[in-house]
Amino acid sequence: MRDLLLLGIETTCDETAAAIVRRRADGSGTILSNIVLSQTDDHAAYGGVVPEIAARAHVEVLDHVIERALRSSGVKLVELDAIAAAAGPGLIGGVIVGLTTAKAMALAARKPLVAVNHLEAHALTARLTDAVPFPFLLLLVSGGHTQLVAVTGVGEYHKLGGTIDDAIGEAFDKTAKMLGLPYPGGPAVERAALRGDASRFHLPRPLMGKPTPDFSLSGLKTAVRLEALAIAPLHDQDVNDLCASFQAAVVDVLADRVRCALRKMREHGIKPNALVLAGGVGANQVVRRTLHKVAADGGTRLAVPPPELCTDNGAMIAWAGAERLALGLTDELSFAPRARWPLDEVEGAASLD
């Protein structure tokens, strides 16, 4: 095994990102560059991501972002071992832009293509930042995804539970919009909650205590709306208290569902080396503090990438590509972009034997 240099391209939602990552022969890694251009301002007026606007923005800036990633890393295109790009799941227009660009570069430079599952990239980031060995329990929480997954190897993902309605990040965003807070909603709710009283409103904790580690957020979101309507018009402190109460409910549910998933892993004879928190909601400091205790109580540790690697970025795509390339996993230029691509349908080396 030798060192590997990869370019990673991420365009699945509203960040246009590219990065250069080195994976060493011993399995450790270094980020040489990580350029992220956010489209938050482009979508703020709409209170959420508009797919057509996102795709056009990716087309306009992706070449420049890739050029900056190469230049700031000091790596030349010819020195790369492969080109990795997020091939889904995500907004299909953006996925097409990134994957098509990667295919063109791979063809022109005669380099292998690695089509990366965006969720797998989140799952494996803690191996780059914290050297987490397999197996581990993954809690993936973002605007579009909420799931608990037993990760036993690259391409070996066993879903234990997930949301039956809204993703947690989506619930944060919708709650923020409902209360008149700016986009993106997650950070806005967290900031308001710091000034609020979490005990003022008694909100439900859906599915707490249930035997399978699933989530349900739509009822909680509705409860917030009903409380807001009951005291309308809202003053600033009302909004702060609602945010604090909502966040406390979400954190309680997360803690309970993670405990359930840890038990499930052990029932299957798998001892997790870590609880890995991934996705944009992983940047929430209250969530982090709570899960640190849950992991310790469960006989393991919490591994969380730094906030800039919890949200979408090119480094996680490059790293996942390097992990796959190290196992000899590459993809044909005919690989099709996917709007939907469940993590447990990702193929690993064992499934290709």
Side-chain angles (χ1 to χ4, degrees):
M1 182 59 65
R2 59 184 178 83
D3 288 9
L4 299 172
L5 276 172
L6 270 83
L7 164 67
I9 298 170
E10 160 61 32
T11 56
T12 60
C13 193
D14 61 338
E15 276 90 18
T16 310
I20 306 296
V21 167
R22 172 180 284 114
R23 184 187 188 276
R24 299 185 189 88
D26 63 4
S28 63
T30 301
I31 299 172
L32 302 182
S33 66
N34 190 31
I35 308 301
V36 180
L37 190 62
S38 175
Q39 301 174 12
T40 298
D41 292 343
D42 297 333
H43 302 280
Y46 305 96
V49 178
V50 180
E52 293 81 2
I53 293 175
R56 285 199 299 270
H58 290 312
V59 170
E60 291 170 2
V61 302
L62 181 56
D63 289 352
H64 304 292
V65 170
I66 292 171
E67 183 182 3
R68 283 179 60 194
L70 286 165
R71 186 172 62 248
S72 61
S73 71
V75 174
K76 297 181 175 62
L77 181 60
V78 69
E79 296 176 296
L80 294 173
D81 291 287
I83 313 291
L91 302 177
I92 194 62
V95 175
I96 289 171
V97 172
L99 184 57
T100 302
T101 300
K103 288 178 179 180
M105 293 183 69
L107 182 62
R110 299 189 178 185
K111 302 292 182 181
L113 171 74
V114 185
V116 172
N117 180 293
H118 175 87
L119 307 181
E120 179 174 41
H122 276 303
L124 297 177
T125 300
R127 285 176 51 77
L128 167 64
T129 59
D130 294 75
V132 176
F134 298 119
F136 57 82
L137 174 63
L138 168 69
L139 171 60
L140 177 60
V141 277
S142 66
H145 306 279
T146 297
Q147 49 190 285
L148 284 155
V149 181
V151 181
T152 55
V154 175
E156 299 176 17
Y157 308 105
H158 315 280
K159 186 176 178 181
L160 301 174
T163 182
I164 60 176
D165 41 58
D166 292 347
I168 288 178
E170 179 185 7
F172 268 93
D173 287 341
K174 288 182 176 178
T175 297
K177 188 173 183 179
M178 184 195 315
L179 298 177
L181 295 174
Y183 174 84
V189 169
E190 183 179 8
R191 287 192 299 271
L194 289 171
R195 303 184 293 271
D197 176 5
S199 65
R200 179 178 171 188
F201 298 99
H202 300 287
L203 300 176
R205 269 70 170 163
L207 300 187
M208 273 189 66
K210 297 296 182 182
T212 55
D214 290 318
F215 299 83
S216 175
L217 280 302
S218 63
L220 174 57
K221 188 181 60 185
T222 299
V224 173
R225 181 173 61 84
L226 293 175
E227 293 285 4
L229 289 172
I231 60 171
L234 297 177
H235 301 289
D236 288 347
Q237 193 56 47
D238 297 325
V239 172
N240 295 340
D241 293 345
L242 281 165
C243 287
S245 300
F246 167 78
Q247 181 173 264
V250 169
V251 168
D252 285 349
V253 169
L254 274 173
D256 179 75
R257 304 290 73 205
V258 168
R259 291 189 193 100
C260 180
L262 287 169
R263 289 195 300 270
K264 288 292 182 185
M265 281 191 76
R266 292 193 168 89
E267 287 171 7
H268 286 89
I270 305 171
K271 183 180 178 181
N273 289 303
L275 165 63
V276 171
L277 176 59
V281 179
N284 183 294
Q285 294 302 310
V286 179
V287 169
R288 287 183 177 224
R289 286 196 299 271
T290 300
L291 293 181
H292 265 295
K293 184 175 187 308
V294 171
D297 291 346
T300 188
R301 67 184 177 101
L302 179 68
V304 195
E308 66 271 16
L309 296 181
C310 285
T311 51
D312 294 349
N313 63 89
M316 71 180 195
I317 303 300
W319 176 253
E323 291 264 71
R324 295 184 68 80
L325 185 63
L327 296 174
L329 299 171
T330 60
D331 297 281
E332 300 294 332
L333 293 179
S334 58
F335 193 98
R338 305 179 184 185
R340 182 181 178 277
W341 190 5
L343 187 52
D344 52 9
E345 292 181 9
V346 175
E347 294 182 335
S351 62
L352 299 180
D353 289 342

